[in-house]
Amino acid sequence: MAKIGVQAMMLKDSFAEVGPYETLRKITDIGYHAVEISQIPMTTDNVDELVRARDELGMDIASLSTGLRGKPGMPLDTLSENYDKLVADCRRVNTSMVRIGMLPFDAMGSLDKVLEFCDDTNEYAKRLAEDGIRLYYHNHHVEFAKYDGKLLLDIIADRAPDVGLELDAHWIQRGGKDPATTIKRYSDRVAMIHLKDYRIGQVPDEAFTALDSGDFATFMQAFIGVVQFAEVGEGNLDFPGIIQAALDSDAEYLLVEQDQLYGRGVFDCLQTSYDNLVDLGFSKLF
């Protein structure tokens, strides 16, 4: 059965302040016992603390993060530059999955570059499989653009058949598709799903001040920008339907994530998501 955990991107500040072990101890205290590692440097000390959290706290390391090539300012071991280290780290923390978090930035404006990315990534997926590791690709909303009537996500899935999919509920919704239906469509390609809610916030007071001063453009920017990330259960997504679709698929981990917290503390947000998921009847998945 799939297990609910946390996507560690939202914990990166805590990792930097108190380290992986203490950070993961805090989410264990909430009730989470799985984590996907993202946006932390995989130094020897950090890997050692992840191993300690696994052994002492019972924390499953669902997957590690990677990219095809490095990006400036991103603490990421990549397939092209750090392949052997990535495989070694997977073995140390006892995970058999790695994931690519997004398309290369320059590929977002070029179908040819997307196809090149798919071809290169698929070759690495084959190589990783020989080392006992599975490679997954995480979507955002840009994958729901259409090229000659075909969704970019479908193009990626067809062009890189050896790469699995990590589907994100919020970004699917923002891309104009239904998350549960999309999970069902790719049920045999999905091992990880991001549980991230989709909330419509309030137009801020500053926008009305701008409107009163005649600054209509600023008001409209705020009006359009009311879509927010939310704690699971605090937005508009149908999580009973999403999680049932996940359970009916090949999903192994359902990872709570929230890209922006809007002034709340990260552990408070994770507590809210946990409480809401329990209230929805999913306590057995933790």
Side-chain angles (χ1 to χ4, degrees), residues 68-71 102-117 147:
L68 186 59
R69 300 177 184 87
K71 300 182 180 74
M102 64 193 312
L103 281 172
F105 296 142
D106 64 347
M108 294 182 187
S110 168
L111 180 58
D112 287 341
K113 289 184 178 180
V114 171
L115 297 178
E116 181 182 349
F117 165 79
Y147 291 81

Side-chain angles (χ1 to χ4, degrees), residues 42 48 90 135 151 183 220 225 280:
M42 292 296 284
D48 286 345
C90 285
L135 179 62
L151 293 177
I183 292 168
M220 286 305 298
L280 287 171

Side-chain angles (χ1 to χ4, degrees), residues 165-183:
L165 296 175
E166 178 180 57
L167 297 177
D168 186 301
H170 174 99
W171 288 113
I172 293 170
Q173 181 71 30
R174 196 176 285 217
K177 290 294 184 178
D178 175 65
T181 301
T182 303
I183 292 168

